[in-house]
């Protein structure tokens, strides 16, 4: 678990006994995460010490997996006391690259929900869509001026697809 890859730009995820490699968030995708984080930084949850963090390691013990989502919501307790705080990450953002297969995306989303996640945003830069997933059977595809919400996991941020991609 402590092994670090020698290849620049790779992140490792531990998936039920096997190591999976994936490329880190690309420079062209960083603006998306930055826009989400910047909006979140104006919220009451941010003022209370909670954060949206990029590529933070997330332990999903119920499925024997460690993931590094492109961004995730962590409470102050999860940041300060990770060994004793709840490991359930309620809101996750994944920016979908052309190298991601639909199988990989579906597998991650299923793992997140099995571990207790409430909302996942799947951000598709090429089509400028955000799929707001609230459980395995509730998906809203947002475009243009549609508002994306992280509720019920986090009351804010709420932002349009246009704002996410600005």
């Amino acid at each position: 678990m402590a092994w670090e890859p020698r290849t620049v730009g790779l992140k490792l995820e531990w998936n039920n006994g096997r190591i999976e490699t994936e490329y880190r968030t690309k420079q062209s995708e960083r603006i998306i995460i930055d826009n989400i984080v910047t909006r979140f930084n104006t919220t009451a949850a941010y003022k209370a010490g909670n954060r949206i963090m990029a590529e933070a390691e997330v332990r999903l013990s119920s499925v024997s997996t460690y993931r590094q989502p492109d961004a995730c919501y962590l409470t102050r307790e999860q940041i300060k006391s990770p060994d004793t705080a709840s490991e359930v990450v309620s809101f996750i953002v994944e920016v979908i690259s052309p190298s991601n297969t639909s199988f990989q995306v579906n597998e991650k989303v299923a793992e997140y929900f099995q571990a207790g996640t409430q909302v996942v945003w799947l951000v598709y830069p090429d089509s400028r869509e955000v799929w707001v997933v609230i459980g395995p059977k509730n998906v809203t595809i947002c475009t243009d001026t549609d508002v994306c919400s992280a509720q019920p996991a986090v009351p804010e941020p709420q932002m349009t697809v246009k704002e996410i991609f600005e």
Side-chain angles (χ1 to χ4, degrees), residues 29-43 52-53 70-72 91-95 121 123 130 148 150 156-160 163-165:
E29 298 168 351
R30 287 183 188 163
I31 191 68
I32 293 166
I33 301 301
D34 183 61
N35 288 340
I36 294 167
V37 169
T38 299
R39 172 58 65 89
F40 178 78
N41 290 353
T42 66
T43 69
I52 291 182
M53 302 182 88
D70 294 320
C72 64
F91 173 51
I92 290 177
V93 177
E94 289 284 2
V95 179
W121 285 4
V123 181
V130 177
C148 300
E156 304 169 286
Q158 290 189 24
M159 53 196 307
T160 67
E163 291 170 323
I164 291 170
F165 289 105

Side-chain angles (χ1 to χ4, degrees), residues 1-5 10-20 24 56-61 63-68 87:
M1 294 301 298
W3 178 72
E4 287 293 326
L10 285 181
K11 64 181 175 182
L12 299 177
E13 295 182 330
W14 177 263
N15 187 0
N16 201 18
R18 67 182 195 270
I19 295 173
E20 297 175 346
R24 292 192 180 278
E57 186 176 276
V58 173
R59 180 173 172 236
L60 308 173
S61 64
V63 290
S64 301
T65 302
Y66 283 84
R67 292 285 186 196
Q68 287 182 317
E87 66 181 29

Side-chain angles (χ1 to χ4, degrees), residues 9 16-17 22-23 25 66 79 81 85 88 94 96 111-112 115 119 121 127 147 159-160:
N16 201 18
E22 189 172 313
Y23 288 98
T25 304
Y66 283 84
I79 295 165
S81 305
V88 174
E94 289 284 2
I96 309 304
E111 290 170 357
Y112 291 147
V119 178
W121 285 4
S127 59
V147 175
M159 53 196 307
T160 67

